[in-house]
């Protein structure tokens, strides 16, 4: 950062005015982005830092990096089934949710992008309202609904509950991507004698593969980060990791090291998948409308 | 926009969605409506007057209006910070190459952290004894304690939200900026337009479509925020950071006041519905203009 301010005046004066301006601007951007990314990374770094310390070090000395580096906190989590099953549970219901959401959203998105039918606009709006429904409103009714049909504390209950906001989202994103595919492709395929199902799977789906990827990513993400519903609908067998984390509060106070390690491990899956969709993230957030 | 064929059979394609969402949205919602017009503890209401009792009680309760006021303040403040900051960051992002990808991945990271972990991160970060932020502020001689002081609690949850979601605005604005053809900038350079004018007359109008989505998404999501502030402050000190969802969960799952909570839910949902409608109208109009 400091070199940006010191090098700027040293730019030779024989450069064109435009050149100088561009140079200064680029340096300015670097400073802004460095500061912003620093702001984003500092809290995460602090969590990482704590996860690698012993509790004694956390509580008794204030250090910017672990002086006594330990992996014991991670070992605690990865060797104790009551901990690591939380990750397994989360991954199971997130995967189920993604599959269900995409399976029902694909044909619906196709219908919305290609045909107009009675009530289509109202239906689309109604789907949107579900994306906007506060989970807090649904927590208690969901609890009663899934208890009464005997699905309480199962993965499928959470997966179904999360379809509330993921299906509308998936329909939206997919519709946005499908709109970009020319209709002539459909018509040609039908003339060539393809049935709808065959056309959809063999021709259409590969064409919107990136859209499906983005929709899957967003379903994964929103199911992964949600806690209120998944916590309300589970007690033991399907409890997500995010809810298990709260139990580090024992009689002897909070086990900060393990809590931090658990937190870091919940960030990893997102960090891994994000690389693959980095160029489509914005398009997905814009619901396929950039 | 392509013209669409009228085809009523398309209903069959949306049927699975309809069934699924009916199960996961309509049935629970009907339960809520049911509670809102009944006495939870067995008593029965007969007259319409009685049936609307919970609604009247909620409308008259100071508690709900206070929570709504705090909620509007929270959403207002975070929008006022996140939107300009997000646009500013987007303008400064590298346009292509390795660093562009690097920034995209780094910026998306907070968006993928489970919400209670976001809360935990800031809870730890702000603590005076073990957190970097709390400790630094303390060392600078600033009296900071988010569990005791209302102002500090508010600053903490707002900074947390800015940390969590500004990247979303930035990513959307960035996507809007990238769709501007180079020719526009070249024309501006020929006209010797100032940096401000380039922003005002080229970049901002082109970003408007996605920015609209960003603003409305942020408004919606901040309006139903629950987990993050709950983990950090638990709604306290006192009720200082008890936002609408926190209050609702307290009422429904904590005190089991199902009738009033259900009436609260319905009004909460109606507000969201009204805003969603504005959202939808604005978006479809922008779509029609081909943005």
């Amino acid at each position: 950062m400091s070199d940006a301010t010191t090098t700027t005046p040293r730019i030779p004066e024989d450069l064109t005015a435009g050149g100088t301006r561009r140079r200064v601007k680029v340096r300015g951007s670097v400073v802004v982005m460095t500061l912003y990314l620093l702001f984003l990374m500092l809290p995460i770094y602090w969590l990482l830092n704590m996860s690698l310390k012993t509790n004694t070090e956390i509580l008794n000395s204030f250090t910017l990096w672990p002086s006594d580096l330990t992996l014991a906190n991670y070992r605690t989590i990865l060797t104790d089934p009551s901990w690591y099953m939380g990750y397994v549970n989360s991954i199971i219901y997130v995967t189920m949710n993604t599959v269900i959401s995409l399976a029902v959203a694909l044909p619906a998105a196709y219908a919305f992008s290609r045909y107009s039918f009675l009530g289509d606009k109202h239906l689309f709006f109604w789907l949107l309202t579900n994306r906007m429904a506060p989970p807090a409103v649904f927590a208690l009714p969901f609890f009663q609904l899934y208890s009464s049909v005997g699905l309480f504390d199962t993965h499928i209950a959470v997966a179904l509950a999360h379809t509330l906001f993921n299906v509308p989202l998936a329909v939206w994103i997919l519709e946005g991507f499908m709109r970009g595919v020319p209709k002539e492709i459909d018509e040609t395929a039908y003339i060539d004698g393809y049935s709808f199902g065959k056309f959809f799977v063999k021709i259409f789906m590969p064409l919107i593969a990136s859209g499906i990827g983005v929709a899957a990513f967003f379903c994964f993400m929103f199911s992964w980060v949600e806690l209120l519903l998944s916590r309300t609908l589970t007690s033991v067998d399907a409890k997500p990791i995010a809810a298990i984390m709260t139990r580090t509060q024992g009689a002897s106070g909070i086990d900060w090291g393990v809590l931090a390690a658990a937190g870091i491990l919940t960030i990893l899956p997102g960090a891994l998948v994000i690389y693959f969709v980095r160029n489509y993230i914005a398009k997905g957030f814009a619901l396929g409308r950039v | 926009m392509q013209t669409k064929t009228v085809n009523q059979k398309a209903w069959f394609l949306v049927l699975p969605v309809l069934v699924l969402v009916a199960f996961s949205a309509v049935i629970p919602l009907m339960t809520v409506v049911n509670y809102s017009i009944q006495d939870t503890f067995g008593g029965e209401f007969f007259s319409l007057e009685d049936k609307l009792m919970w609604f009247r009680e909620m409308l008259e309760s100071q508690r709900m209006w206070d929570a709504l006021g705090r909620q509007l303040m929270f959403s207002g403040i975070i929008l006022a910070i996140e939107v300009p900051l997000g646009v500013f960051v987007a303008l400064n992002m590298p346009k292509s190459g390795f660093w562009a990808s690097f920034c995209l991945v780094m910026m998306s990271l907070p968006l993928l952290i489970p919400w209670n972990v976001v809360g935990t991160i800031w809870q730890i970060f702000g603590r005076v004894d073990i957190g970097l932020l709390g400790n630094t502020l303390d060392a600078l001689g600033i009296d900071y304690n988010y569990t005791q002081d209302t102002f500090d609690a508010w600053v903490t949850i707002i900074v947390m939200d800015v940390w969590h979601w500004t990247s979303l605005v930035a990513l959307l604005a960035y996507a809007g900026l990238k769709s501007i053809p180079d020719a526009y900038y070249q024309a501006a350079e020929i006209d010797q337009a100032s940096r401000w004018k380039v922003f005002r007359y080229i970049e901002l109008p082109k970003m408007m479509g996605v920015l609209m989505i960003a603003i409305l998404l942020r408004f919606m999501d901040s309006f139903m925020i629950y987990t993050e502030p709950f983990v950090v402050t638990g709604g306290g000190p006192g009720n200082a950071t008890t936002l609408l969802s926190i209050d609702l969960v307290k009422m429904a799952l904590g005190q089991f006041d199902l009738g009033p909570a259900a009436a609260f839910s319905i009004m909460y949902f109606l507000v969201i519905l009204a805003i969603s409608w504005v959202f939808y109208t604005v978006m479809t109009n922008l779509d029609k203009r081909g943005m």
Side-chain angles (χ1 to χ4, degrees):
Chain A
M1 272 178 292
S2 59
D3 76 349
T5 44
T6 50
T7 51
T8 313
R10 267 196 266 122
I11 293 167
E13 283 180 12
D14 57 4
L15 272 178
T16 61
T20 314
R21 202 167 51 227
R22 191 161 304 140
R23 187 120 180 205
V24 173
K25 196 182 138 233
V26 168
R27 292 294 185 170
S29 320
V30 171
V31 174
V32 170
M33 286 316 291
T34 312
L35 284 177
Y36 182 65
L37 290 183
L38 211 61
F39 167 61
L40 290 186
M41 288 307 126
L42 260 184
I44 298 180
Y45 167 71
W46 198 249
L47 195 71
L48 181 68
N49 177 22
M50 269 181 59
S51 74
L52 295 170
K53 288 179 184 176
T54 58
N55 271 322
T56 338
E57 191 186 343
I58 293 171
L59 292 172
N60 296 331
S61 56
F62 190 83
T63 46
L64 290 178
W65 51 83
S67 60
D68 182 16
L69 194 90
T70 172
L71 289 173
N73 297 319
Y74 290 95
R75 207 172 300 129
T76 309
I77 292 172
L78 296 175
T79 53
D80 180 356
S82 66
W83 266 109
Y84 67 72
M85 278 315 285
Y87 289 97
V88 177
N89 290 335
S90 291
I91 288 170
I92 292 175
Y93 73 69
V94 166
T95 312
M96 280 169 127
N97 171 273
T98 308
V99 173
I100 297 172
S101 301
L102 285 183
V104 299
L106 271 169
Y110 182 79
F112 283 123
S113 75
R114 288 296 189 265
Y115 303 116
S116 76
F117 46 95
L118 195 66
D120 56 350
K121 291 194 178 63
H122 301 99
L123 191 63
F124 206 61
F125 174 64
W126 176 64
L127 280 178
L128 165 67
T129 62
N130 291 311
R131 165 67 180 80
M132 302 311 173
V137 168
F138 284 89
L140 186 65
F142 270 163
F143 173 75
Q144 294 182 318
L145 175 67
Y146 290 107
S147 301
S148 68
V149 293
L151 285 177
F152 179 71
D153 202 19
T154 57
H155 301 105
I156 191 77
V158 184
L160 282 175
H162 283 177
T163 57
L164 175 72
F165 43 81
N166 272 352
V167 164
L169 188 74
V171 171
W172 265 40
I173 293 176
L174 289 171
E175 201 263 349
F177 276 89
M178 285 177 182
R179 212 191 272 193
V181 178
K183 253 178 92 170
E184 286 70 26
I185 290 181
D186 308 29
E187 283 152 11
T188 319
Y190 294 138
I191 292 169
D192 287 349
Y194 276 91
S195 67
F196 173 71
K198 210 168 167 197
F199 154 74
F200 199 80
V201 176
K202 287 239 166 103
I203 297 176
F204 198 66
M205 277 171 58
L207 280 175
I208 52 155
S210 59
I212 297 177
V214 174
F217 170 76
F218 274 85
C219 290
F220 169 89
M221 167 185 155
F222 279 107
S223 186
W224 179 258
V225 297
E226 205 280 336
L227 178 74
L228 181 58
L229 292 178
S230 54
R231 194 190 56 188
T232 312
L233 291 175
T234 55
S235 62
V236 183
D237 293 341
K239 207 173 172 70
I241 178 61
I244 290 177
M245 276 180 66
T246 48
R247 71 165 198 176
T248 48
Q249 207 151 1
S252 55
I254 300 174
D255 191 344
W256 292 111
V258 174
L259 180 70
I264 288 295
L265 288 176
T266 62
I267 300 177
L268 282 184
L272 288 180
V273 287
I274 202 155
Y275 180 77
F276 297 102
V277 289
R278 63 189 180 285
N279 294 322
Y280 298 102
I281 297 163
K283 188 163 182 178
F285 271 118
L287 307 167
R289 275 161 180 74
V290 176
Chain B
M1 218 170 137
Q2 306 178 30
T3 49
K4 295 180 186 174
T5 336
V6 178
N7 184 350
Q8 304 301 345
K9 280 190 206 139
W11 264 101
F12 288 112
L13 293 174
V14 293
L15 204 61
V17 166
L18 215 61
V19 173
L20 187 68
V21 179
F23 180 73
S24 64
V26 178
I27 298 178
L29 207 59
M30 286 331 283
T31 325
V32 177
V33 172
N34 210 9
Y35 279 132
S36 73
I37 52 169
Q38 277 179 9
D39 188 348
T40 324
F41 302 106
E44 230 172 298
F45 293 155
F46 295 104
S47 68
L48 184 66
E49 182 101 343
D50 277 354
K51 284 187 182 196
L52 293 178
M53 187 176 87
W54 299 129
F55 286 92
R56 207 172 49 234
E57 190 183 303
M58 285 321 296
L59 281 175
E60 282 165 5
S61 92
Q62 194 54 41
R63 174 178 169 179
M64 192 188 82
W65 291 109
D66 285 349
L68 182 66
R70 284 190 289 265
Q71 184 68 65
L72 288 171
M73 186 160 107
F74 177 76
S75 296
I77 293 175
I78 62 118
L79 276 178
I81 298 174
E82 287 173 17
V83 174
L85 183 63
V87 171
F88 181 65
V89 168
L91 287 172
N92 283 297
M93 272 176 75
K95 295 284 173 286
S96 58
F98 168 77
W99 289 108
S101 300
F102 177 80
C103 286
L104 280 175
V105 172
M106 282 301 173
M107 284 166 60
S108 318
L109 208 52
L111 303 171
L112 289 153
I113 300 176
W115 293 341
N116 71 320
V117 179
V118 171
T120 308
I121 288 176
W122 280 88
Q123 189 195 21
I124 291 173
F125 199 56
R127 278 178 70 112
V128 174
D129 54 347
I130 57 170
L132 184 60
L133 177 70
N135 198 291
T136 311
L137 288 176
D138 194 52
L140 291 172
I142 299 167
D143 185 24
Y144 170 84
N145 187 338
Y146 66 83
T147 54
Q148 303 288 326
D149 187 274
T150 305
F151 180 76
D152 292 349
W154 267 87
V155 170
T156 310
I157 61 170
I158 284 168
V159 172
M160 173 176 70
D161 203 79
V162 168
W163 177 83
H164 192 182
W165 289 110
T166 302
S167 295
L168 169 67
V169 182
L171 287 175
L172 285 171
Y174 178 70
L177 279 179
K178 288 247 292 193
S179 67
I180 303 174
D182 267 346
Y184 282 65
Y185 291 111
Q186 284 155 8
E189 202 162 331
I190 291 166
D191 290 345
Q192 296 198 314
S194 65
R195 183 73 195 84
W196 165 251
K197 287 218 162 123
V198 170
F199 174 73
R200 174 67 189 80
Y201 295 105
I202 298 177
E203 292 172 333
L204 193 61
K206 280 280 172 187
M207 269 194 288
M208 225 41 213
V210 273
L211 217 49
M212 221 49 220
I213 297 177
I215 292 170
L216 289 154
L217 270 183
R218 275 318 297 137
F219 182 82
M220 303 287 154
D221 288 344
S222 68
F223 215 73
M224 51 199 198
I225 192 167
Y226 170 79
T227 315
E228 304 95 309
F230 183 76
V231 171
V232 174
T233 65
N239 275 331
T241 53
T242 303
L243 303 172
L244 279 176
S245 274
I246 297 178
D247 206 18
L248 179 59
V249 172
K250 228 183 238 176
M251 205 186 287
L253 297 178
Q255 304 159 346
F256 234 66
D257 278 337
L258 295 187
F264 185 161
S265 296
I266 288 172
M267 289 187 281
Y268 189 4
F269 194 56
L270 285 179
V271 172
I272 300 250
L273 208 65
I275 301 164
S276 301
W277 183 78
V278 174
F279 182 10
Y280 188 67
T281 317
V282 170
M283 279 208 21
T284 37
N285 284 346
L286 284 177
D287 271 353
K288 270 186 207 137
R289 276 172 29 205
M291 292 182 74

